[in-house]
Amino acid sequence: MPTRRVVTGRSKEPRARFAEELRSLRTRRGDSLRQLGERLGWDWSLFGKMEKGETLGGPEMVQALDQYYGTPGLLLALWELAVSDQTQFRERYRRYMALEAEATSLWHFAVSVLPGLLQTPGYAREVLAAGGLKGEELDQQVEARMGRRELLAGEDAPPFRTILSEAVLRTPLRDAGEWRRQLEYLGEVGERDGVTIQVLPQSAGLHGLVGSAVMFLRLPDGRPVAYTENTYRGELVEENTRVERLQRAYDVVRDLALSPAESRKFVQRILEEVPCDPST
């Protein structure tokens, strides 16, 4: 029986580590995804999604892979770590959502997609679907995201500032009509009292937040917290030293960004570039 390897590796994030090990084992075996699917009796495209980190699969499939590769218990242990990490992520996110609801101000930086508070239903649906959601779960998540927009409505809405990387506005939806509606909504929300939208041009170059989106919440007791997010995970940051470090990086980004007035013109120029719907 092969010696069981220690569950450590190159990637520290459990989901990425699991996907990395799956790719490595298959490559060393010399199988294509299609061959792997045929030999184990599962749809080969599902193995592809697992290797990309888009899904974790189920325990029966992972046990079959352990048996096939001769790695008794290794993949199942990595799978359990990834599943546990996802559960912890959901718990952290629920805590963040509770804090967001009571925040007295919100400052945000978007690195690749618009913040949920500014998304239209069409934009939210495409973003969430790209993340793997579908069917009833997708519908529920879109509805929930639209409900979050109420946070910025009404007289008691907290001040909200977002700095949008130019890449956010240069990445359109597949549906030009939906993209137009999203940009129009962005312009509309930007006119509200208490909402400030700025654009960080690509010419600003590299900066301290280049790899992460971040939201700063000012809580009723005056304490700031931050929530950072990348492709694989989100993290609620409450330690003062780390929050201050992120705030300093945010201050640099804000200094590099266009003014609110210039940013409104920038969004308008992007909107003018969107093809008109010939049916309208």
Side-chain angles (χ1 to χ4, degrees):
M1 178 180 294
T3 302
R4 178 171 173 173
R5 288 183 290 168
V6 178
V7 184
T8 59
R10 296 166 292 280
S11 297
K12 294 183 179 180
E13 196 277 320
R15 190 182 188 107
R17 175 71 183 93
F18 177 61
E20 184 180 72
E21 190 67 26
L22 289 175
R23 289 193 301 272
S24 176
L25 287 168
R26 180 179 59 80
T27 301
R28 288 202 297 270
R29 184 84 175 213
D31 289 342
S32 68
L33 286 169
R34 192 177 296 277
Q35 288 172 329
L36 183 62
E38 290 174 351
R39 288 167 183 170
L40 294 185
W42 271 284
D43 184 350
W44 65 269
S45 65
L46 184 55
F47 290 118
K49 291 179 180 178
M50 292 169 69
E51 290 185 12
K52 292 178 182 177
E54 295 175 0
T55 184
L56 293 174
E60 292 182 358
M61 177 182 292
V62 177
Q63 286 175 319
L65 286 166
D66 258 333
Q67 183 175 358
Y68 180 70
Y69 290 130
T71 54
L74 170 66
L75 292 177
L76 188 59
L78 291 173
W79 178 84
E80 289 172 348
L81 287 172
V83 170
S84 175
D85 189 66
Q86 288 297 102
T87 300
Q88 293 173 20
F89 165 72
R90 286 192 291 269
E91 291 174 353
R92 289 193 296 267
Y93 188 67
R94 281 196 292 269
R95 172 163 167 72
Y96 162 74
M97 291 294 291
L99 294 175
E100 182 186 82
E102 63 181 48
T104 59
S105 69
L106 306 94
W107 286 15
H108 176 265
F109 172 68
V111 68
S112 58
V113 297
L114 288 167
L117 292 171
L118 299 183
Q119 293 179 10
T120 59
Y123 188 97
R125 180 170 295 277
E126 188 163 317
V127 168
L128 291 167
L133 296 183
K134 56 185 177 181
E136 184 177 352
E137 184 179 8
L138 175 59
D139 294 338
Q140 291 173 346
Q141 290 298 318
V142 171
E143 184 178 355
R145 186 158 294 189
M146 293 306 97
R148 288 181 62 200
R149 299 196 311 183
E150 296 301 314
L151 184 66
L152 300 183
E155 296 180 358
D156 297 330
F160 174 70
R161 174 191 298 272
T162 185
I163 302 172
L164 308 176
S165 169
E166 183 177 340
V168 175
L169 299 172
R170 295 294 185 187
T171 308
L173 298 178
R174 294 184 180 90
D175 186 317
E178 290 291 352
W179 181 228
R180 172 174 287 277
R181 280 187 280 277
Q182 174 62 76
L183 292 173
E184 290 172 342
Y185 182 71
L186 195 61
E188 172 193 324
V189 176
E191 297 293 337
R192 295 182 187 174
D193 292 338
V195 175
T196 303
I197 297 175
Q198 293 181 259
V199 175
L200 180 70
Q202 290 177 336
S203 59
L206 297 175
H207 52 82
L209 299 178
V210 71
S212 299
V214 61
M215 176 77 88
F216 296 96
L217 307 177
R218 178 72 62 177
L219 302 181
D221 62 4
R223 179 170 57 95
V225 299
Y227 186 79
T228 63
E229 193 169 29
N230 58 33
T231 303
Y232 288 105
R233 64 184 302 163
E235 180 184 8
L236 181 63
V237 182
E238 300 185 76
E239 181 188 351
N240 288 340
T241 302
R242 295 183 62 198
V243 173
E244 289 175 3
R245 189 182 305 124
L246 286 168
Q247 285 181 321
R248 287 195 294 271
Y250 186 88
D251 289 343
V252 172
V253 169
R254 186 178 58 185
D255 290 342
L256 293 171
L258 301 177
S259 70
E262 293 171 325
S263 297
R264 284 194 292 272
K265 293 178 182 178
F266 190 98
V267 173
Q268 183 60 36
R269 288 197 298 272
I270 297 292
L271 178 58
E272 291 170 356
E273 296 172 4
V274 180
C276 293
D277 186 344
S279 63
T280 60

